[in-house]
Amino acid sequence: MPRPAKQSPVRKAVFPVGGLGTRFLPATKALPKEMLPVVDKPLIQYAVEEARAAGVEEFIFVTGRGKSAIEDHFDHSWELQESLTARGKQAELAEIQSWLPAPGQVAYTRQQEPLGLGHAVWCARHLVGDEPFAVLLADDLVLSETPCLAQMAKVYGRVGGNLVAVMDVPREQTGRYGILDVVQDDGRLAEAKGLVEKPRPEKAPSTLSIIGRYILRPEVFAELDRREKGAGGEVQLTDAMARTIGRIPFHGLRFEGRRFDCGSKAGFLEANIAFALDRPDLGAEMSEILGRYKDALEKA
Ligand code: G1P
């Protein structure tokens, strides 16, 4: 795993991985959607490595039924290790061991009912305790030089409060995101005076949208305790964060990098292309392959 940042303000990260992944059926019938690979690595591993690179030391997964492949992925695999050793495959052996969390660094808790993202995060309250924590949604994948959460941790050291990653989206897409009601904006960091979960385009206070990276104060748990239902009849993290504004500063960081919505088929396919092109061992071959589709693209 990448080396942790020095003195990160955030030691714990929550990964809500209880969702069903119906958009990727039949692939996700028996496979958790977070285990879908981009190139050769499951989505959830990108998220865990990103948290680690930002200095996170404790990884809290909020899981659900049928998600045991995620637990197995972050555990030793004796059969595989023994068979790689026996065959002298040292590089492969070192690779699968390099990113494994140390014993006791991972915790799993179950979200027993699908009551929304806010409820999933609330399920981790005892494991997080009374300290700032990160939330990473594995569906949102960011390709960048400095990992997205590490960019945020740096800014968090300066602004504190609650901080989310944001990007501008076309107005017709506001209904897919949590949207900031912006009060101040320097082009990189925006301060919000309110938040709305999935507003219709004509009702959206801006087009600045939350993507799945959060650094949150533990006070958000007190708001989630109310288990109030919001958009879509679900307990929304956005609503809980919105209720802390006024007491706790709220900022959105326009991170550097490209974000892929791996919760959608097109976004997931694009992520595979972009990550493959970015890989030293695959980039040239991939670009040659894509070149073969030039004619087809021109005709389309
Ligand atoms: C969740 C959040 C939303 C955020 C989005 C980012 O929505 O509720 O505020 O903008 O993630 O991907 P979901 O995509 O789970 O519906």
Side-chain angles (χ1 to χ4, degrees):
M1 281 192 182
R3 283 180 68 76
K6 262 189 265 161
Q7 286 182 331
S8 173
V10 194
R11 293 190 322 112
K12 297 186 179 181
V14 175
F15 304 88
V17 292
L20 277 180
T22 47
R23 278 196 272 176
F24 279 91
L25 283 169
T28 50
K29 186 166 175 254
L31 181 80
K33 65 173 173 158
E34 298 79 10
M35 289 300 292
L36 290 172
V38 166
V39 185
D40 52 8
K41 198 191 282 189
L43 284 169
I44 189 63
Q45 192 180 332
Y46 285 97
V48 166
E49 288 185 354
E50 185 180 327
R52 180 67 180 263
V56 167
E57 294 158 9
E58 289 182 37
F59 307 88
I60 302 163
F61 293 80
V62 182
T63 70
R65 290 178 67 80
K67 298 282 180 163
S68 53
I70 297 176
E71 293 185 42
D72 290 339
H73 188 72
F74 291 102
D75 192 5
H76 286 271
S77 168
W78 297 112
E79 303 87 336
L80 179 60
Q81 285 165 221
E82 268 168 34
S83 101
L84 291 174
T85 309
R87 292 187 209 170
K89 294 197 176 271
Q90 292 306 325
E92 288 82 352
L93 186 64
E95 200 287 324
I96 60 159
Q97 288 178 321
S98 64
W99 45 263
L100 276 189
Q105 274 192 321
V106 199
Y108 298 92
T109 189
R110 276 199 183 195
Q111 181 187 22
Q112 288 140 328
E113 296 166 276
L115 299 179
L117 177 61
H119 177 255
V121 171
W122 178 80
C123 288
R125 67 201 178 285
H126 296 304
L127 293 165
V128 170
D130 192 24
E131 60 180 290
F133 63 103
V135 177
L136 293 97
L137 308 185
D139 277 359
D140 280 325
L141 190 56
V142 180
L143 181 59
S144 56
E145 223 156 86
T146 305
C148 184
L149 193 69
Q151 296 178 40
M152 292 171 68
K154 196 165 170 212
V155 172
Y156 186 78
R158 187 160 49 85
V159 296
N162 290 325
L163 177 68
V164 298
V166 292
M167 61 185 265
D168 292 288
V169 300
R171 186 162 277 274
E172 62 272 18
Q173 290 178 12
T174 57
R176 300 185 199 166
Y177 299 96
I179 303 289
L180 274 67
D181 189 354
V182 178
V183 65
Q184 227 180 329
D185 189 351
D186 71 5
R188 184 160 182 258
L189 195 64
E191 189 176 356
K193 61 174 160 60
L195 302 168
V196 192
E197 178 68 9
K198 303 195 169 86
R200 289 205 304 269
E202 65 278 14
K203 291 262 170 77
S206 79
T207 54
L208 203 53
S209 306
I210 300 173
I211 74 124
R213 300 289 181 278
Y214 309 74
I215 297 180
L216 300 175
R217 302 265 334 150
E219 286 85 346
V220 86
F221 289 124
E223 302 303 331
L224 290 170
D225 270 339
R226 297 154 62 140
R227 295 181 63 166
E228 235 165 63
K229 290 187 177 157
E234 297 190 337
V235 181
Q236 297 292 353
L237 184 57
T238 301
D239 297 341
M241 295 187 302
R243 283 197 293 264
T244 68
I245 295 176
R247 281 179 290 136
I248 298 174
F250 188 97
H251 291 93
L253 175 70
R254 286 190 186 82
F255 54 96
E256 170 277 315
R258 250 186 310 153
R259 171 260 186 178
F260 302 94
D261 173 12
C262 293
S264 82
K265 285 177 193 143
F268 175 74
L269 293 171
E270 188 187 352
N272 270 284
I273 295 168
F275 275 72
L277 285 171
D278 191 58
R279 282 263 297 251
D281 59 336
L282 279 172
E285 197 181 344
M286 190 65 195
S287 128
E288 199 254 311
I289 290 171
L290 288 175
R292 288 182 220 153
Y293 291 86
K294 224 171 132 214
D295 290 351
L297 282 174
E298 272 160 18
K299 275 184 214 143

